[in-house]
């Protein structure tokens, strides 16, 4: 899993939970909340979908790492790699 | 523990809130079962059939309507959280509604799904109050109405700091109270804010086929997510030990276990299932109940001159009294609903005319009657309710209305208790709400009416919030 693939995973989830958002121009370095209308309920769903679809656990204390696509990639990519290694 | 009779979550009641909670939990892999005593889903917002004709109960209009593209409102949140495409509800907007006060509705404020219309009506008819009104609207817009931690404050008190004219004050409270207040005379400001936004800042809409469209969508989502449901299977008792629920005893006598229990049946009703020791003061049940008359017409209401109004909130008296009447019925105020007057698009209209009127009623004056007196009272009250309401819409003679009427029906406080189990026929539940949904048992939570988000969108958001707050967020 590359960082770009990881960003796509997050974007795919957002596309499903917020189909009314336009995701064609999301800037990876900008906080998601600042460019999309996402509230705490939506962030809970990003976490829940990561668990449901990819068995990735994000503890509440780490929610801050999901702020932007870049920070998501930094935080999640190692988790995906570790999970793949466990196979 | 995951044996056949153990659930991660058991939900009591298959109304809007229970179904919404169920969808969330099942979607995220919880083993969920909804137990419903009745044979139909929907609870307070349901429908029934008589002679092949479907009657909606509860829902006059879906409140909180916003057009596509408007974000951050309850409707949008709900659609996202339940993964519903808004096209599935196929909502059609109201034409116009009114608040009509005075013996014959002399003062009338029109409103639509465009808030500017209402603001303009207030400016025209209450010119001295428009600045105060705008200040009130600003206060409503900035208030955090979905916080789960709120200190209750009087809505009358807050509104009076902005609005000095008692007539305008009552005219603002009438729709807001009729569409959701469980409290007499006044309401909690947070509840006022929820309803004011839902009715005036957002708006009214309805699926062409009424409430069953919404129920159908919810049931399908729940089924797809893997949720189970048992109909005609009420919960008789919540068994507890050391402050935790251990099992549910069903009406069948069967016992099932669940890690969490969400109850949508109301706070006093849930307390009754838990069976508190008698020395503990019982929670106060609500006192506000209603009758509703329904007339099915062989023509569209427009043919009788009733083509413009979708909903009319009326009151004929100097003051608007939102309280449990002293008699069986109080027809001084009420709500008229003409479901034909939503904009269903060109060449599409409901096959028959429908004329519904809701008025305040007193539960014990209906509950204690023998069958014969009950039926007689129903007939008498039907007449009284319609006569009162007709003063607020264009005049139609008795003969013309009788000639146009195919059939009628009526629900009373007794009907409400029979089909929903709400103590005292209290449609909007108990006057005191439980924002965090807590009960005396640590793994039993409330959702729905007594949690305190109002309207049917509020009911669904309540189920969602409680499922998120108590179960999903805690990853338990």
């Amino acid at each position: 899993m590359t960082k770009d693939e990881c960003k796509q995973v997050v974007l795919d989830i957002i596309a499903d939970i917020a189909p009314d958002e336009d995701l064609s121009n999301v800037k990876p370095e900008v906080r998601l909340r600042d460019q999309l209308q996402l509230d705490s309920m939506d962030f809970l769903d990003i976490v829940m979908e990561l668990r449901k679809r990819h068995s990735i656990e994000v503890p509440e204390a780490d929610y801050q790492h999901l702020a932007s696509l870049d920070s998501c990639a930094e935080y999640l990519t190692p988790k995906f790699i570790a999970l793949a290694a466990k196979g | 523990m995951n044996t056949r009779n153990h659930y991660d979550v058991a939900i009591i009641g298959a109304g809007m809130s229970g179904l919404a909670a169920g969808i969330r939990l099942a979607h995220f892999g919880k083993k969920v079962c909804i137990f419903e005593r009745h044979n139909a889903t929907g609870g307070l917002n349901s429908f029934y059939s008589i002679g092949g004709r479907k009657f909606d109960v509860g829902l006059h209009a879906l409140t909180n309507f916003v057009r596509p593209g408007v974000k951050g409102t309850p409707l949008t949140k709900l659609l996202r959280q339940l993964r519903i495409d808004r096209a599935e509800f196929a909502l059609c907007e109201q034409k116009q509604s009114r608040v009509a006060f005075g013996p014959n509705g002399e003062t009338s404020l029109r409103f639509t799904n465009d808030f500017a219309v209402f603001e303009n009506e207030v400016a025209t008819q209450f010119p001295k109050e428009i600045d105060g009104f705008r200040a009130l609207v600003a206060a409503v817009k900035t208030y955090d109405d979905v916080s789960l931690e709120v200190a209750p404050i009087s809505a009358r008190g807050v509104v009076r700091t902005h609005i000095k004219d008692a007539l305008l004050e009552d005219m603002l409270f009438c729709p807001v109270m009729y569409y959701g207040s469980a409290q007499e005379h006044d309401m909690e400001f947070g509840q006022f804010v929820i309803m004011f936004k839902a009715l005036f800042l957002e708006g009214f809409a309805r699926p062409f086929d009424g409430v069953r469209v919404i129920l159908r969508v919810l049931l399908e989502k729940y089924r797809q997510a893997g949720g189970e449901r048992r109909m005609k299977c009420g919960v008789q008792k919540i068994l507890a030990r050391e402050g935790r629920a251990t099992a549910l005893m069903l009406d069948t006598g069967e016992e099932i276990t669940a890690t969490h229990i969400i109850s949508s049946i109301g706070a006093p009703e849930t307390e009754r299932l838990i069976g508190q020791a008698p020395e503990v003061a019982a929670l106060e049940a609500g006192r506000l109940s209603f009758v509703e008359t329904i007339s099915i017409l062989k023509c569209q209401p427009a043919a009788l001159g009733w083509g413009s109004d979708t909903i009319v909130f009326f009151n004929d008296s100097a003051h608007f009294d939102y309280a449990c009447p002293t008699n069986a019925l109080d027809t001084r105020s009420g709500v008229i609903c003409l479901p034909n007057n939503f904009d269903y698009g060109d060449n599409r209209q409901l096959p028959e005319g429908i004329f519904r009127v809701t008025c305040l009623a007193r539960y014990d004056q209906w509950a204690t009657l023998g069958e014969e007196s009950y039926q007689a009272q129903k007939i008498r009250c039907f007449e009284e309710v319609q006569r009162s309401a007709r003063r607020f819409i264009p005049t139609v003679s008795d003969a013309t209305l009788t000639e146009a009427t195919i059939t009628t029906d009526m629900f009373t406080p007794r009907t409400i208790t029979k089909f929903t189990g709400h103590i005292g026929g209290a449609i909007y539940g108990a006057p005191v709400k439980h924002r965090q949904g807590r009960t005396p048992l640590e793994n039993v939570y409330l959702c729905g009416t007594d949690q305190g988000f109002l309207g049917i969108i509020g009911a669904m958001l309540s189920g969602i919030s409680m499922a998120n707050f108590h179960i999903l967020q805690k990853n338990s």
Side-chain angles (χ1 to χ4, degrees):
Chain A
M1 164 90 52
T2 65
K3 286 187 179 171
D4 280 340
E5 284 166 343
C6 185
K7 287 176 196 172
Q8 195 53 50
V9 162
V10 175
L11 278 176
D12 288 346
I13 289 176
I14 297 175
D16 287 341
I17 65 179
D20 47 337
E21 292 289 339
D22 175 8
L23 302 180
S24 54
N25 285 309
V26 177
K27 296 187 185 68
E29 71 285 4
V30 176
R31 278 159 45 99
L32 289 164
R33 261 183 210 268
D34 293 343
Q35 46 187 335
L36 301 171
Q37 187 120 21
L38 296 178
D39 64 11
S40 55
M41 281 178 155
D42 299 317
F43 276 91
L44 172 65
D45 275 22
I46 296 175
V47 171
M48 300 291 302
E49 292 291 350
L50 280 167
R51 181 196 294 158
K52 180 177 171 179
R53 299 180 192 187
H54 304 288
S55 306
I56 296 280
E57 294 289 341
V58 181
E60 208 172 341
D62 289 351
Y63 282 13
Q64 46 174 333
H65 296 299
L66 304 181
S68 70
L69 281 183
D70 279 344
S71 68
C72 282
E74 284 299 324
Y75 174 74
L76 294 172
T77 310
K79 286 186 176 262
F80 275 108
I81 291 170
L83 200 68
K86 255 199 268 173
Chain B
M1 280 286 265
N2 247 339
T3 57
R4 200 161 55 92
N5 283 330
H6 183 80
Y7 293 97
D8 294 325
V9 189
I11 298 174
I12 309 175
M16 299 277 178
S17 66
L19 286 167
I23 292 169
R24 287 288 296 168
L25 295 162
H27 177 80
F28 288 118
K30 302 290 178 196
K31 184 170 152 72
V32 189
C33 187
I34 301 180
F35 297 90
E36 168 60 55
R37 181 165 283 152
H38 197 35
N39 60 7
T41 53
L44 293 163
N45 290 285
S46 192
F47 62 95
Y48 58 94
S49 300
I50 295 180
R53 193 174 269 115
K54 291 192 175 72
F55 293 86
D56 273 11
V57 278
L59 186 87
H60 279 175
L62 182 136
T63 59
N64 300 95
F65 175 81
V66 289
R67 298 192 180 126
V70 179
K71 291 171 189 167
T73 73
L75 177 61
T76 326
K77 286 183 193 194
L78 164 87
L79 296 172
R80 282 187 181 185
Q81 289 275 301
L82 300 183
R83 312 287 190 267
I84 294 169
D85 182 334
R86 62 179 292 143
E88 294 178 72
F89 283 166
L91 296 171
C92 305
E93 295 190 50
Q94 67 164 325
K95 289 183 177 169
Q96 69 159 44
S97 294
R98 287 187 297 127
V99 190
F101 270 43
N104 294 293
E106 289 81 353
T107 309
S108 170
L109 294 173
R110 218 160 54 82
F111 63 99
T112 67
N113 291 351
D114 175 6
F115 185 69
V117 171
F118 189 49
E119 194 178 18
N120 190 47
E121 289 271 298
V122 174
T124 310
Q125 301 193 47
F126 296 90
K128 286 183 188 153
E129 297 288 345
I130 188 62
D131 293 337
F133 178 76
R134 290 193 177 122
L136 172 65
V137 172
V140 162
K141 283 184 176 170
T142 51
Y143 190 80
D144 181 11
D145 53 347
V146 290
S147 164
L148 298 182
E149 290 151 44
V150 281
I153 40 172
S154 155
R156 288 274 189 185
V158 177
V159 170
R160 276 176 199 154
T161 62
H162 301 292
I163 306 279
K164 304 300 168 201
D165 189 311
L167 174 59
L168 178 58
E169 179 193 324
D170 274 347
M171 290 182 85
L172 296 179
F173 271 100
C174 176
V176 167
M177 287 175 150
Y178 258 105
Y179 270 11
S181 179
Q183 194 185 334
E184 299 177 276
H185 308 295
D186 196 356
M187 60 200 293
E188 195 276 304
F189 185 61
Q191 303 256 304
F192 176 87
V193 168
I194 291 178
M195 291 312 288
F196 190 94
K197 286 181 181 169
L199 272 62
F200 298 125
L201 290 168
E202 294 159 17
F204 296 158
R206 181 183 188 270
F208 183 74
D209 282 324
V211 72
R212 58 191 179 275
V213 175
I214 294 165
L215 289 170
R216 204 185 296 142
V217 171
L218 295 179
L219 286 170
E220 186 54 21
K221 295 277 165 195
Y222 183 61
R223 194 191 60 77
Q224 282 171 357
E228 295 174 40
R229 130 179 110 88
R230 288 180 62 179
M231 305 302 288
K232 289 179 139 176
C233 182
V235 172
Q236 205 175 82
K237 207 168 174 182
I238 297 174
L239 305 171
R241 204 174 59 216
E242 288 164 6
R244 281 185 70 84
T246 53
L248 294 179
M249 188 198 279
L250 307 180
D251 286 345
T252 56
E254 187 186 347
E255 276 186 25
I256 65 113
T257 58
T259 310
H260 302 274
I261 295 163
I262 297 183
S263 171
S264 69
I265 64 172
E269 291 82 357
T270 302
E271 195 175 64
R272 195 165 57 175
L273 288 189
I274 295 171
Q276 285 284 0
E279 64 268 22
V280 178
L283 286 172
E284 188 190 346
R287 282 162 44 83
L288 290 159
S289 194
F290 301 92
V291 294
E292 180 163 282
T293 66
I294 304 163
S295 302
I296 304 296
L297 311 172
K298 61 181 163 198
C299 58
Q300 295 293 310
L304 301 175
W306 296 346
S308 40
D309 295 318
T310 309
I311 313 278
V312 180
F313 299 90
F314 65 86
N315 174 54
D316 69 7
S317 303
H319 295 285
F320 167 56
D321 249 342
Y322 187 74
C324 179
T326 42
N327 302 314
L329 191 65
D330 180 355
T331 59
R332 291 174 301 164
S333 69
V335 188
I336 299 166
C337 170
L338 295 157
N340 302 78
N341 297 338
F342 286 87
D343 186 359
Y344 297 117
D346 293 338
N347 304 320
R348 201 161 71 132
Q349 55 185 29
L350 299 181
E352 294 172 328
I354 307 172
F355 172 46
R356 293 166 63 178
V357 185
T358 309
C359 285
L360 287 159
R362 183 183 180 93
Y363 176 75
D364 57 17
Q365 297 277 325
W366 295 87
T368 52
L369 296 177
E371 189 56 27
E372 210 168 293
S373 331
Y374 174 69
Q375 293 303 338
Q377 178 159 296
K378 250 175 112 166
I379 292 167
R380 184 168 52 76
C381 287
F382 186 99
E383 178 60 28
E384 219 178 294
V385 166
Q386 289 218 331
R387 191 160 298 283
S388 176
R390 283 163 58 198
R391 295 175 297 168
F392 300 88
I393 48 180
T395 308
V396 169
S397 74
D398 290 350
T400 309
L401 183 57
T402 307
E403 154 68 20
T405 303
I406 304 170
T407 183
T408 65
D409 198 25
M410 179 174 186
F411 75 69
T412 74
R414 181 151 143 177
T415 329
I416 295 164
T417 296
K418 180 172 168 194
F419 289 104
T420 70
H422 271 230
I423 296 170
I427 291 209
Y428 299 132
V432 175
K433 300 303 181 192
H434 306 259
R435 271 302 168 95
Q436 298 198 339
R438 299 203 190 277
T439 71
L441 301 179
E442 62 175 324
N443 58 340
V444 179
Y445 327 107
L446 301 173
C447 74
T449 326
D450 281 347
Q451 186 266 328
F453 295 166
L454 307 172
I456 76 161
I457 298 292
M460 290 185 261
L461 274 179
S462 168
I464 291 167
S465 306
M466 291 299 103
N468 288 354
F469 181 65
H470 291 292
I471 301 169
L472 297 176
Q473 268 173 16
K474 293 183 180 154
N475 186 24
S476 49

